[in-house]
Amino acid sequence: AAFDQETKENSIEKTTKTKDVEYKTQEAAYLDKEAAELSTDRSGVQAEQDAVLEYLSKMEKECTEVAETYASRKARFEAEIAGLKEALEVLESETALLQRRAKRHHAAGSQRGFLAAASA
């Protein structure tokens, strides 16, 4: 009777442990599947976050005003003044050339007029 009782208890324990193994195997498979889905979801969300952060970075560069330093303003103004001085020199030299040509042309024209009047 004790042997039969022990055998019955062992059989029940074996059945219980076999069912536990089945359930734990099913749970492990479910958790593996769930982990794979969550990993895929995380990858998608990470890609979306990366895109948003890149866009934000680009927008910050466009929208954030950076104060110009004194040195850069000074350099920009000096370059502008140098360009204006160069343009002024070019204009003055062209004006001087035009004035010289006009004087020569006017002088040559008055000499022709004088020669024409003298020969007549």
Side-chain angles (χ1 to χ4, degrees):
F3 176 75
D4 290 334
Q5 182 66 25
E6 187 73 29
T7 306
K8 190 175 182 180
E9 286 176 9
N10 286 342
S11 176
I12 291 172
E13 191 175 339
K14 180 181 178 190
T15 305
T16 304
K17 288 187 179 188
T18 303
K19 286 294 181 187
D20 280 350
V21 168
E22 279 181 40
Y23 292 136
K24 294 204 186 261
T25 303
Q26 287 176 355
E27 185 179 6
Y30 169 77
L31 290 175
D32 286 343
K33 179 182 172 190
E34 195 70 20
E37 287 177 6
L38 291 175
S39 178
T40 302
D41 289 349
R42 183 184 182 282
S43 297
V45 170
Q46 184 67 46
E48 188 176 336
Q49 182 187 23
D50 291 344
V52 168
L53 290 176
E54 180 181 341
Y55 179 74
L56 177 65
S57 173
K58 187 166 75 170
M59 292 307 295
E60 283 177 344
K61 287 178 187 174
E62 290 179 12
C63 297
T64 304
E65 231 179 277
V66 178
E68 188 176 14
T69 64
Y70 172 76
S72 64
R73 270 196 329 258
K74 181 180 176 188
R76 185 169 45 88
F77 288 140
E78 286 175 351
E80 186 178 352
I81 289 171
L84 291 172
K85 284 181 180 178
E86 184 180 333
L88 181 62
E89 287 175 12
V90 168
L91 290 174
E92 286 176 344
S93 67
E94 286 180 3
T95 303
L97 284 173
L98 289 174
Q99 287 175 351
R100 282 189 219 140
R101 286 183 188 160
K103 284 182 182 177
R104 273 192 248 141
H105 182 64
H106 182 62
S110 64
Q111 284 179 354
R112 281 187 213 132
F114 176 73
L115 291 175
S119 63

